[in-house]
Amino acid sequence: MQVHRMAVGPMETNCYIIADEKTNEGAVIDPGADGSLILDKIETLGIKLQYILLTHTHYDHIGAVAQLKRATGAKLAVSEEDAAGLTDGRWNLSAYGGSPVEAAEADILLKDGDELLWGRDGKQSIQVLSTPGHTKGGVCFLCGGELFSGDTLFAGSVGRSDFPGGSMDTLVQSIKTKLMPLDDGVRVYPGHGPTTTIGRERAGNPYIQ
């Protein structure tokens, strides 16, 4: 699987484009802004976009959703608990900045343990891990040895929990029960900042010791 990272918008949110090397089918994870740049990258790579996947629905992770969905027809997938943030500026926090963001209606409502099939004749799997705490319905996406953690787990840190629906106790519990059981070698692609690994965070992340 190919992973392409783009830091988009003023918050430098990590948007990931993943693609199956055999079929070039793929998905985009957390297209937070700069929709035209993301579309240009998808076109340059020749990717046939199947899914738009959201780890949560804060405005800096959904700002380009509507543009990408219109342009590609890809299916939009988000957790059922966070779906309200697609169209509610108070939920996604954009209303407090004076420029409310509305994305699009979800095509797929995700829950813990769901699998999305893609690439290689539909035999590649994206597993959904429910990891609330940063938001009520935050999720991570596990694709083989690659984990897309959104704002749940960062290199050396964890996501904020002081927004509506957030809870530090819940967040740490989510990380300990859903992410720490993964193999040390699983590479973590967070919503902001550099990549890391489960092993590195298990050994040194002060929030989960």
Side-chain angles (χ1 to χ4, degrees), residues 142-204:
L142 181 63
C143 311
E146 321 288 339
L147 178 77
F148 299 90
S149 63
D151 288 1
T152 294
L153 179 65
F154 299 134
S157 189
V158 298
R160 292 176 61 171
S161 59
D162 56 338
F163 296 125
S167 164
M168 180 57 71
D169 288 344
T170 301
L171 180 62
V172 170
Q173 185 69 9
S174 292
I175 294 169
K176 288 183 174 180
T177 59
K178 293 297 181 66
L179 305 188
M180 289 302 101
L182 301 176
D183 292 341
D184 282 352
V186 170
R187 183 171 291 276
V188 180
Y189 297 87
H192 302 272
T195 59
T196 183
T197 66
I198 290 294
R200 191 176 302 154
E201 298 314 302
R202 192 195 321 279

Side-chain angles (χ1 to χ4, degrees), residues 53-56 78-82 110-116 125-153 170-171 173-183 186-188 198:
L53 307 177
L54 302 179
T55 61
H56 63 292
V78 65
S79 74
E80 187 170 5
E81 293 85 356
D82 255 26
L110 303 170
K111 60 182 183 298
D112 187 49
D114 281 352
E115 287 190 327
L116 299 172
S125 173
I126 301 172
Q127 184 178 354
V128 179
L129 304 178
S130 177
T131 54
H134 177 64
T135 65
K136 185 178 179 180
V139 300
C140 298
F141 297 106
L142 181 63
C143 311
E146 321 288 339
L147 178 77
F148 299 90
S149 63
D151 288 1
T152 294
L153 179 65
T170 301
L171 180 62
Q173 185 69 9
S174 292
I175 294 169
K176 288 183 174 180
T177 59
K178 293 297 181 66
L179 305 188
M180 289 302 101
L182 301 176
D183 292 341
V186 170
R187 183 171 291 276
V188 180
I198 290 294

Side-chain angles (χ1 to χ4, degrees), residues 16-113:
Y16 298 100
I17 302 168
I18 61 174
D20 178 80
E21 294 174 344
K22 180 179 179 181
T23 66
N24 235 24
E25 295 174 338
V28 61
I29 301 171
D30 289 352
D34 300 332
S36 296
L37 294 178
I38 297 171
L39 286 169
D40 286 346
K41 183 71 170 180
I42 291 169
E43 183 177 359
T44 298
L45 294 169
I47 292 172
K48 295 170 283 187
L49 201 67
Q50 292 181 283
Y51 297 112
I52 300 168
L53 307 177
L54 302 179
T55 61
H56 63 292
T57 54
H58 283 163
Y59 72 94
D60 59 315
H61 290 252
I62 68 170
V65 165
Q67 184 178 357
L68 264 65
K69 198 171 188 310
R70 285 194 302 269
T72 67
K75 293 182 178 180
L76 175 60
V78 65
S79 74
E80 187 170 5
E81 293 85 356
D82 255 26
L86 293 172
T87 54
D88 187 337
R90 293 168 299 176
W91 185 293
N92 65 40
L93 307 181
S94 64
Y96 304 106
S99 300
V101 172
E102 290 192 11
E105 294 290 337
D107 299 297
I108 303 170
L109 294 176
L110 303 170
K111 60 182 183 298
D112 187 49

